[in-house]
Amino acid sequence: MSIAKAVAFFNQKLEGTNCRLVAVSKTHPESLIQEAYDAGQRIFGENKAQEMTSKHENLPQDIEWHMIGHLQTNKVKYIAPFVHTIQSVDSLKLLQEIEKQAAKNNRVINCLLQIYIAEEESKFGLNEAEAIEILESESYKNMQHVKITGVMGIATNTENQKQLRKEFTALKNTFEKLKQTFFTGNDTVFKEVSMGMSSDYELAIDCGSTYIRVGSAIFGNRNYGNIQ
Ligand SMILES: *Cc1c(COP(=O)(O)O)cnc(C)c1O
């Protein structure tokens, strides 16, 4: 399938739902991002600050950039001038740095709390108690330049549908709990559940996803030997 066809396919798939497509363009050249852009795609996901920054400089300015990879605090300054949403907030320390850099740029940056849902050991993320701790902290309550708009999760890399459904449902439940506890009367702000990738987006949509993050089903396989 061409990139344009893939974008059209997902547009059709998501029509009438409140779920949107984040086209994950990490490792792919700007020419392919431009192709997806020309087909109407506006939200793109990257997992490295420097790569996102140089792509941002060279591509149309109305692209909505989402950071989806683990972000080191010393890299926040590179993306703070333009990033739309940081989906991978996994510590208060990182949130504090985002607040600081967003303030410097006179911006408000949307943030998703990355919640740990997979069985695998290596994935970054918070558990529910840690997410609550951040939302209860005085530090967070005083922040003026970050807006926590929801949660993000990376499921186990498995074809086991039962396992995936369990993990997506757990993320959705955590979202509902945080919404009820911290965002009552404010649910136009806290509304995003980012889950589902190329291999499991259908199930994720079924479990209440509002952002599916799809890379290889749009751009083809990634060649990690080729990163510029
Ligand atoms: C790479 C990546 C994706 C996209 O994965 P595909 O299987 O290519 O769709 C989604 N989410 C995150 C966090 C990623 O790092």
Side-chain angles (χ1 to χ4, degrees), residues 24 26 47 68-69 152 154 196-199 213-217 222 224:
V24 177
K26 63 188 185 196
N47 69 343
I68 62 168
M152 182 269 247
I154 303 172
M197 321 203 325
S198 290
S199 58
R213 308 179 306 266
V214 179
S216 45
R222 288 178 287 275
Y224 285 97

Side-chain angles (χ1 to χ4, degrees), residues 193-204:
V193 183
S194 173
M195 58 188 184
M197 321 203 325
S198 290
S199 58
D200 54 20
Y201 65 83
E202 294 211 279
L203 186 56

